[in-house]
Amino acid sequence: MVETESLRNTSGSGFKVTSGAIVCIADNSTDMERFAGDVTIGTGSVLHPRVYISANGGHVDIGEGNIIEEQVRINNRLSDKGTMVIGNNNVFEVGCIIEAKAIGDNNVFESKCYVGPEVTIGNGVTVGAKCNLTAPDTIQDLSVIYGENCDQRLANDKPTSQASQREFLSRILPNYHKLFKPNKPILETAALNSM
Amino acid sequence: MAFLAQQEAVIIACTCGSLKPVCRTYFCRHCFVIRCGNCVSNEVDSIYCAFCLDNVTCEHSLSVRSHTVRETTPQPQQPPVSKHATPSNRAYYLACFFCRWTSRDSNIPDQKTASGSWPERSNTHSTRLNVLLDYYKSIGALEKSNINIDHQSYMKYLRKPTHLLEDQFGFSANVRKQKVELLKKKNLILTDPHSKITVEGSVPTDEIEPLSEDFITKEIDLLSIPKLEQRFNISDLQPDHVSQLMPYHKRLMVKQSQRCRECEHNVCKPEYNPSSIKFKIQLSGYFCIPEIRIISYTPLIAGQVSEITFKICNQFKESTTIKFKQLPPKNSEEDLSYYKTLKKEILLTDNLHKSTILMEEARIQEVTTTGQLDLPKCELVLPPRDDAADCDDLADNQNYNDDPKIVIWRKCNKVGVRMQITPNPDLTVGSMVKVGFLLNFTYTNTLSSTLENKQAPQIIPVDVKMFIDVGVLSDETEK
C-alpha cells in the first residue's frame, strides 16, 4: 500500500503500474498507443487487452482492484486539466466509454455505457448497458441507471463483489496473454516482447 | 420481403369471404382451397414465457411453475431467480439483473424453495369486487333463466311505435295479450324477490384527509416515487413509494398451429421449442398462389383508358397456367351460405385451468370495384420457381407463344403483363381506383403422385378473387 502511494505521488511521466496489477498487452506495435500520457494503475487491477486509456488531458489515476474489460476507453477530457481519479473495485464492462470527473468505489459500468466529462459518480453505482450520462450531474451512492430512457432508482445494497472474478482473471489471464511488467515504461516492455 | 408482400394493394378474397394479402393466406393442398387466419382452427402447441423463453410443457408443470414463470419485477423484465446460498440454510429471493431490483427491496421474505410460494398481494377492495361480481352474475343468470323474456321480441316491441297509437286506434285482443305478457315477464325479472341480490351503492364522502403542512414546501425525492407506468402496472394498489412495488403477473405466450377446417391437415405449424423461430410454412399462400404486383401505370383519369403493368410471379415449385376471368358481380347465395358455416373459434382462457370457446361469425366483405380492367383472353404459362435461375442471365431460351401486346417481358418464373384500365366515369378525383378479377391458376398436386408413385401429378384449376388498389384518380387538367 505504501509502495503504491509513493508511486502515485511520483507519477508524473509515462505509464505506471504498481506490482500486483495485471495489464494485458496485445502483441503488436500499435498497442503502445493505447496508453497515452500519465496513467497510474493500482494494485490488483486487471486490464484486459485492447483497453484504451488516454491521459493527454491530465493524469488518470486508477485505484485498486478494478476490472477493465476489452474495448473500454478511459479518457481524461476534464476542462481544468485535473486528475481523473477512479476509486477501487470498479468494473468496466466491454466497450464502455468513461470520461467522468471522478469515480468512487464499487461501481459497475455495464457494456457500451457512456459517462461524460461533467459527471461525478459516487459509490456502489450501476450504470446500465448502453446508458448515456451526458448532463453535468453527481450520481448519488447506490444509484442504478438502467433502460433506454436511463431510468434511475436506488438500490438497497451495493453491487455484488467482483473479488472472485478478479481472482479468476488474475489466475487465467497470465496464461494466455503477454503482460505488462510493472514499474517499467511500456515502450521498453513492448520492445522486449517483440524480441 | 414480408414488408413488400404485406402491402395491401393487392388483396385476395379467402374462401371464407375475408380479404387478405397473399402472405396472410394459406393454401390447403388437400382440399385445394385458400384459407386464412379466420377460417382455420387454431390449436395450442406450447405455452412459454415471452421474456425468458421458459417452455411450460404440460398442464401439471404449468400449475406448479405458474408462480415462478409468471412472476416478474415491477419493471418489465424477466425474473431470474438467484440463489442466496449458504450451504446449511439456503434461501431464495427474486432479482432482476436489469435494474438490480430484488424482492428484498420490497420486504418480501426469502423463500426456502426456488419455485417458492411467493406471497400474493391481496387487493384491499377484493370483498367489494366480489360482491359486485356476484351481483352481475346473478343478473346474468336471471336473464338466462327459464323465465327470461324473449329479448329479441321485446326489443322489436320497443322499436315499433305502434303501442303509442293504442289509444287512437285500439289493438286487437291478440296483440294486447302479447303485450301484457311481455310486460309481466319484464316486471317479474326486475321485481322477483327470491332471486334478487341487493348491493349497497358506494357512498361518496366529503371528508378528505388534510395534506401535511410541508406538502408543498417539502423537497421531492424523485427516486422514492414510482413512475406512473409502475403504478398502473399494479393498478389495484397504486403504491406511492418504491418500497411498495411488488412483482406482477405476466401473461404467457402461446405457440399455436393452424389446421384446415375441413380436412384437418396442418397448414401452419411452428416448432414446439419457444426459442425456435422455424415454421412449417410450405402451405403459405405466398408459395402456391401466383403473386401479382403493380409495376407502373399511366395517370388514371375517369372514363379514359390507361395502361397498367403487372408483374406476375409463380412462387410454386411446379409450373402453372393462369387465365383471367371477369369477376362475378356479387357474392352468390351459395357462397354466402358457405361463408356462414365457417365460424372462427376463439379460445378464451380466463385462468390457467378454465377455458371457453367462443364462435366468431365469418367476416364477409363486399368489395365494389371502381374501374374496368381489359383482361387478356390468352393463357399465360409460368415456369416453376428456380432459385438458381435467378442468378443466370443467359437462360432466356424460352419458347412461349406469347402475345407481345400483353406480355412485355419474361424472366424465369416472372412475367410482365400489360393491361388496359378504365376508371369509372363517375369517379371523383382523388378517390382510389379499385379493380378486381378472377385469377384462374393450375395447381399441380405433387402429393398424390408421390404417395401412389406411378400416377401422373394431378392438375387442379383454382379460382382466386383478386382485388387491386391501383392508385388515386388524377385530375384531367393536370395532365
Side-chain angles (χ1 to χ4, degrees):
Chain A
M1 191 67 199
V2 178
E3 189 197 8
T4 319
E5 283 303 320
S6 63
L7 263 171
R8 277 196 204 176
N9 292 337
T10 53
S11 74
S13 57
F15 183 73
K16 300 276 181 186
V17 178
T18 21
S19 59
I22 292 183
V23 178
C24 303
I25 44 176
D27 191 17
N28 58 26
S29 58
T30 56
D31 203 54
M32 289 176 289
E33 294 162 18
R34 297 187 297 124
F35 305 103
D38 297 335
V39 180
T40 309
I41 293 173
T43 316
S45 289
V46 176
L47 268 75
H48 288 240
R50 301 268 170 225
V51 172
Y52 294 77
I53 300 176
S54 160
N56 285 336
H59 297 218
V60 174
D61 193 346
I62 297 175
E64 297 171 19
N66 296 298
I67 301 176
I68 305 180
E69 295 185 356
E70 290 90 342
Q71 308 281 354
V72 171
R73 284 173 179 274
I74 296 176
N75 198 357
N76 188 343
R77 284 175 50 192
L78 302 179
S79 49
D80 56 352
K81 300 250 172 193
T83 306
M84 177 202 257
V85 180
I86 295 176
N88 304 327
N89 301 321
N90 299 297
V91 180
F92 300 87
E93 291 185 5
V94 177
C96 61
I97 301 173
I98 307 294
E99 294 169 355
K101 202 183 270 179
I103 292 175
D105 302 333
N106 298 311
N107 302 298
V108 177
F109 299 89
E110 291 184 1
S111 303
K112 293 250 176 191
C113 68
Y114 171 75
V115 182
E118 297 294 321
V119 185
T120 307
I121 305 269
N123 301 314
V125 174
T126 306
V127 182
K130 201 66 187 148
C131 286
N132 289 347
L133 301 179
T134 48
D137 196 3
T138 302
I139 307 294
Q140 75 181 84
D141 293 358
L142 301 181
S143 294
V144 180
I145 290 148
Y146 64 96
E148 56 183 339
N149 299 325
C150 295
D151 296 319
Q152 195 173 353
R153 60 178 291 273
L154 275 189
N156 265 7
D157 294 327
K158 63 182 182 190
T160 45
S161 164
Q162 294 288 330
S164 59
Q165 169 75 0
R166 200 169 53 235
E167 206 172 286
F168 171 77
L169 287 174
S170 51
R171 209 173 57 240
I172 290 295
L173 284 178
N175 297 343
Y176 300 98
H177 288 283
K178 289 190 174 171
L179 296 189
F180 178 76
K181 302 281 185 327
N183 294 331
K184 284 182 185 171
I186 191 166
L187 284 170
E188 198 181 308
T189 317
L192 280 174
N193 282 327
S194 61
M195 273 163 72
Chain B
M1 194 68 214
F3 174 76
L4 275 177
Q6 273 177 26
Q7 301 280 319
E8 305 224 329
V10 179
I11 295 280
I12 284 180
C14 172
T15 324
C16 71
S18 48
L19 301 174
K20 295 276 157 90
V22 68
C23 61
R24 293 244 171 263
T25 57
Y26 308 106
F27 186 82
C28 177
R29 57 177 166 181
H30 300 273
C31 330
F32 314 113
V33 288
I34 293 162
R35 299 272 175 222
C36 69
N38 286 346
C39 60
V40 288
S41 29
N42 295 312
E43 206 170 75
V44 174
D45 280 347
S46 60
I47 299 171
Y48 66 99
C49 168
F51 290 88
C52 61
L53 294 182
D54 185 15
N55 192 359
V56 191
T57 42
C58 67
E59 195 80 356
H60 167 72
S61 63
L62 193 67
S63 60
V64 170
R65 288 203 275 169
S66 62
H67 280 292
T68 46
V69 174
R70 302 172 89 212
E71 209 83 46
T72 45
T73 61
Q75 290 79 29
Q77 284 87 43
Q78 56 172 338
V81 178
S82 320
K83 280 177 233 166
H84 171 62
T86 53
S88 57
N89 189 16
R90 185 172 278 194
Y92 293 88
Y93 63 94
L94 295 173
C96 171
F97 290 142
F98 188 59
C99 68
R100 315 263 163 170
W101 176 90
T102 64
S103 52
R104 292 168 175 181
D105 289 5
S106 299
N107 297 324
I108 299 171
D110 289 357
Q111 298 294 319
K112 286 268 153 53
T113 51
S115 58
S117 48
W118 297 102
E120 290 281 323
R121 56 170 195 275
S122 58
N123 191 336
T124 43
H125 305 291
S126 56
T127 44
R128 172 74 181 163
L129 284 172
N130 283 338
V131 169
L132 284 175
L133 272 177
D134 284 346
Y135 175 64
Y136 293 129
K137 267 183 198 160
S138 74
I139 290 178
L142 262 180
E143 283 183 358
K144 275 194 174 174
S145 66
N146 44 12
I147 56 149
N148 75 349
I149 54 169
D150 183 350
H151 190 68
Q152 276 187 341
S153 66
Y154 181 66
M155 291 310 287
K156 215 185 258 175
Y157 163 75
L158 284 183
R159 249 181 261 132
K160 277 184 192 166
T162 43
H163 61 284
L164 300 173
L165 303 171
E166 191 186 6
D167 286 340
Q168 207 172 345
F169 303 110
F171 268 131
S172 70
N174 198 15
V175 175
R176 181 165 295 157
K177 208 193 274 173
Q178 272 182 10
K179 189 193 154 194
V180 168
E181 201 76 2
L182 272 171
L183 285 176
K184 223 191 252 171
K185 280 176 179 171
K186 191 191 164 213
N187 284 337
L188 204 58
I189 281 180
L190 298 176
T191 57
D192 185 13
H194 300 295
S195 48
K196 200 172 180 184
I197 294 178
T198 49
V199 176
E200 286 174 28
S202 43
V203 187
T205 174
D206 287 334
E207 291 168 23
I208 300 167
E209 277 181 46
L211 295 171
S212 57
E213 278 182 15
D214 58 349
F215 182 78
I216 294 171
T217 53
K218 195 171 61 183
E219 197 177 329
I220 298 171
D221 181 15
L222 281 176
L223 291 176
S224 66
I225 302 172
K227 281 178 290 179
L228 276 182
E229 188 194 349
Q230 292 173 325
R231 291 187 64 154
F232 291 157
N233 280 336
I234 318 175
S235 52
D236 47 348
L237 293 179
Q238 303 223 6
D240 52 12
H241 194 273
V242 282
S243 63
Q244 295 161 353
L245 287 173
M246 299 286 265
Y248 65 94
H249 290 296
K250 282 268 177 198
R251 283 181 188 276
L252 294 171
M253 302 286 274
V254 152
K255 272 204 165 184
Q256 53 183 14
S257 56
Q258 272 85 33
R259 275 176 194 283
C260 173
R261 265 316 148 67
E262 278 171 20
C263 64
E264 306 233 319
H265 282 96
N266 268 316
V267 290
C268 182
K269 191 164 175 57
E271 278 189 8
Y272 286 102
N273 186 3
S275 58
S276 167
I277 52 162
K278 283 183 189 163
F279 282 81
K280 284 183 182 160
I281 51 167
Q282 297 97 323
L283 297 179
S284 165
Y286 182 77
F287 296 114
C288 304
I289 306 163
E291 190 198 356
I292 295 186
R293 283 191 206 168
I294 306 166
I295 289 189
S296 63
Y297 55 88
T298 52
L300 301 163
I301 292 155
Q304 287 185 25
V305 178
S306 312
E307 207 163 74
I308 181 165
T309 319
F310 294 115
K311 181 170 90 175
I312 304 175
C313 180
N314 178 24
Q315 301 281 11
F316 194 52
K317 55 186 186 295
E318 299 286 336
S319 73
T320 183
T321 310
I322 56 173
K323 277 180 264 181
F324 299 96
K325 293 179 189 170
Q326 286 297 340
L327 208 62
K330 264 193 171 179
N331 285 331
S332 63
E333 285 294 314
E334 195 186 327
D335 279 350
L336 283 176
S337 60
Y338 176 70
Y339 294 161
K340 278 171 189 164
T341 61
L342 293 168
K343 286 177 179 172
K344 185 180 162 69
E345 287 172 19
I346 302 171
L347 191 71
L348 290 181
T349 313
D350 51 355
N351 58 37
L352 290 174
H353 306 292
K354 218 163 121 190
S355 56
T356 43
I357 290 179
L358 272 189
M359 301 299 275
E360 189 197 323
E361 292 291 329
R363 299 171 190 174
I364 305 160
Q365 281 157 311
E366 282 283 353
V367 180
T368 45
T369 54
T370 54
Q372 286 298 318
L373 208 57
D374 190 14
L375 298 170
K377 307 251 176 339
C378 61
E379 287 184 352
L380 289 175
V381 180
L382 286 173
R385 187 178 67 150
D386 182 2
D387 292 330
D390 272 351
C391 313
D392 190 1
D393 291 336
L394 301 170
D396 279 339
N397 53 346
Q398 305 135 325
N399 294 314
Y400 300 101
N401 292 322
D402 291 325
D403 183 353
K405 280 181 189 164
I406 292 159
V407 176
I408 314 169
W409 52 265
R410 259 180 191 279
K411 191 169 191 296
C412 309
N413 57 341
K414 305 175 193 80
V415 63
V417 176
R418 184 192 289 149
M419 290 187 202
Q420 310 280 330
I421 182 173
T422 319
N424 286 356
D426 54 346
L427 215 56
T428 52
V429 173
S431 54
M432 184 60 81
V433 180
K434 200 187 256 290
V435 291
F437 55 85
L438 204 63
L439 181 76
N440 177 288
F441 68 95
T442 55
Y443 174 79
T444 313
N445 186 12
T446 47
L447 206 66
S448 65
S449 60
T450 49
L451 283 178
E452 291 133 41
N453 280 325
K454 285 155 202 163
Q455 221 176 51
Q458 207 183 347
I459 292 177
I460 299 121
V462 183
D463 280 346
V464 198
K465 283 183 198 165
M466 291 270 186
F467 297 100
I468 299 173
D469 283 350
V470 179
V472 179
L473 196 75
S474 47
D475 202 347
E476 198 170 353
T477 50
E478 279 177 22
K479 199 179 170 189

mmCIF file of all heavy atoms in Angstrom, chain B residues 16 52-53 64 158 171 174 212 227 263 357 419:
data_model
loop_
_atom_site.group_PDB
_atom_site.id
_atom_site.type_symbol
_atom_site.label_atom_id
_atom_site.label_comp_id
_atom_site.label_asym_id
_atom_site.label_seq_id
_atom_site.Cartn_x
_atom_site.Cartn_y
_atom_site.Cartn_z
ATOM 1 N N CYS B 16 -63.339 -18.017 -47.159
ATOM 2 C CA CYS B 16 -64.329 -17.663 -46.143
ATOM 3 C C CYS B 16 -64.886 -16.270 -46.348
ATOM 4 O O CYS B 16 -65.750 -15.830 -45.603
ATOM 5 C CB CYS B 16 -63.716 -17.767 -44.756
ATOM 6 S SG CYS B 16 -62.519 -16.487 -44.407
ATOM 7 N N CYS B 52 -38.301 -15.010 -20.787
ATOM 8 C CA CYS B 52 -37.160 -15.894 -20.541
ATOM 9 C C CYS B 52 -37.232 -17.133 -21.419
ATOM 10 O O CYS B 52 -36.354 -17.973 -21.346
ATOM 11 C CB CYS B 52 -37.101 -16.285 -19.080
ATOM 12 S SG CYS B 52 -38.537 -17.164 -18.505
ATOM 13 N N LEU B 53 -38.246 -17.234 -22.266
ATOM 14 C CA LEU B 53 -38.425 -18.359 -23.177
ATOM 15 C C LEU B 53 -38.459 -19.698 -22.430
ATOM 16 O O LEU B 53 -38.028 -20.714 -22.946
ATOM 17 C CB LEU B 53 -37.335 -18.393 -24.244
ATOM 18 C CG LEU B 53 -37.353 -17.239 -25.233
ATOM 19 C CD1 LEU B 53 -36.270 -17.430 -26.258
ATOM 20 C CD2 LEU B 53 -38.694 -17.132 -25.939
ATOM 21 N N VAL B 64 -47.601 -25.948 -11.321
ATOM 22 C CA VAL B 64 -46.529 -25.917 -10.328
ATOM 23 C C VAL B 64 -45.674 -24.680 -10.525
ATOM 24 O O VAL B 64 -45.327 -23.977 -9.596
ATOM 25 C CB VAL B 64 -45.663 -27.194 -10.444
ATOM 26 C CG1 VAL B 64 -44.415 -27.049 -9.601
ATOM 27 C CG2 VAL B 64 -46.459 -28.387 -9.998
ATOM 28 N N LEU B 158 -90.334 -2.773 -28.531
ATOM 29 C CA LEU B 158 -89.953 -1.415 -28.158
ATOM 30 C C LEU B 158 -89.702 -0.546 -29.371
ATOM 31 O O LEU B 158 -89.997 0.641 -29.377
ATOM 32 C CB LEU B 158 -88.680 -1.445 -27.308
ATOM 33 C CG LEU B 158 -88.831 -1.881 -25.867
ATOM 34 C CD1 LEU B 158 -87.506 -1.778 -25.169
ATOM 35 C CD2 LEU B 158 -89.856 -1.016 -25.148
ATOM 36 N N PHE B 171 -106.216 -1.912 -30.142
ATOM 37 C CA PHE B 171 -105.483 -3.095 -30.563
ATOM 38 C C PHE B 171 -106.412 -4.275 -30.628
ATOM 39 O O PHE B 171 -107.419 -4.330 -29.931
ATOM 40 C CB PHE B 171 -104.375 -3.419 -29.551
ATOM 41 C CG PHE B 171 -103.087 -2.789 -29.887
ATOM 42 C CD1 PHE B 171 -102.374 -2.090 -28.926
ATOM 43 C CD2 PHE B 171 -102.564 -2.899 -31.161
ATOM 44 C CE1 PHE B 171 -101.185 -1.522 -29.233
ATOM 45 C CE2 PHE B 171 -101.360 -2.335 -31.464
ATOM 46 C CZ PHE B 171 -100.671 -1.634 -30.508
ATOM 47 N N ASN B 174 -105.565 -10.030 -29.476
ATOM 48 C CA ASN B 174 -104.379 -10.859 -29.561
ATOM 49 C C ASN B 174 -103.111 -10.073 -29.231
ATOM 50 O O ASN B 174 -102.300 -10.472 -28.397
ATOM 51 C CB ASN B 174 -104.288 -11.420 -30.986
ATOM 52 C CG ASN B 174 -103.350 -12.614 -31.025
ATOM 53 O OD1 ASN B 174 -103.017 -13.145 -29.976
ATOM 54 N ND2 ASN B 174 -102.959 -12.985 -32.214
ATOM 55 N N SER B 212 -50.400 17.229 4.694
ATOM 56 C CA SER B 212 -49.473 17.671 5.733
ATOM 57 C C SER B 212 -48.967 19.071 5.402
ATOM 58 O O SER B 212 -48.966 19.487 4.242
ATOM 59 C CB SER B 212 -48.303 16.685 5.826
ATOM 60 O OG SER B 212 -47.683 16.590 4.565
ATOM 61 N N LYS B 227 -42.865 5.603 -10.858
ATOM 62 C CA LYS B 227 -43.365 6.294 -12.047
ATOM 63 C C LYS B 227 -44.799 5.884 -12.336
ATOM 64 O O LYS B 227 -45.274 4.872 -11.825
ATOM 65 C CB LYS B 227 -42.480 5.946 -13.244
ATOM 66 C CG LYS B 227 -41.190 6.737 -13.232
ATOM 67 C CD LYS B 227 -40.320 6.346 -14.379
ATOM 68 C CE LYS B 227 -39.783 4.964 -14.171
ATOM 69 N NZ LYS B 227 -38.945 4.497 -15.235
ATOM 70 N N CYS B 263 -60.341 -30.560 -43.876
ATOM 71 C CA CYS B 263 -59.603 -31.820 -43.936
ATOM 72 C C CYS B 263 -58.734 -32.032 -42.710
ATOM 73 O O CYS B 263 -58.115 -33.078 -42.556
ATOM 74 C CB CYS B 263 -58.754 -31.877 -45.191
ATOM 75 S SG CYS B 263 -57.474 -30.632 -45.222
ATOM 76 N N ILE B 357 -64.778 -21.708 -25.339
ATOM 77 C CA ILE B 357 -64.622 -21.471 -26.770
ATOM 78 C C ILE B 357 -65.786 -20.621 -27.251
ATOM 79 O O ILE B 357 -66.942 -20.921 -26.999
ATOM 80 C CB ILE B 357 -64.570 -22.798 -27.533
ATOM 81 C CG1 ILE B 357 -63.266 -23.515 -27.210
ATOM 82 C CG2 ILE B 357 -64.683 -22.559 -29.024
ATOM 83 C CD1 ILE B 357 -63.117 -24.830 -27.873
ATOM 84 N N MET B 419 -51.941 -4.338 -69.285
ATOM 85 C CA MET B 419 -53.409 -4.369 -69.432
ATOM 86 C C MET B 419 -53.918 -2.948 -69.563
ATOM 87 O O MET B 419 -53.230 -1.985 -69.221
ATOM 88 C CB MET B 419 -54.058 -5.015 -68.210
ATOM 89 C CG MET B 419 -53.814 -6.499 -68.076
ATOM 90 S SD MET B 419 -54.779 -7.150 -66.736
ATOM 91 C CE MET B 419 -53.860 -8.628 -66.365
#
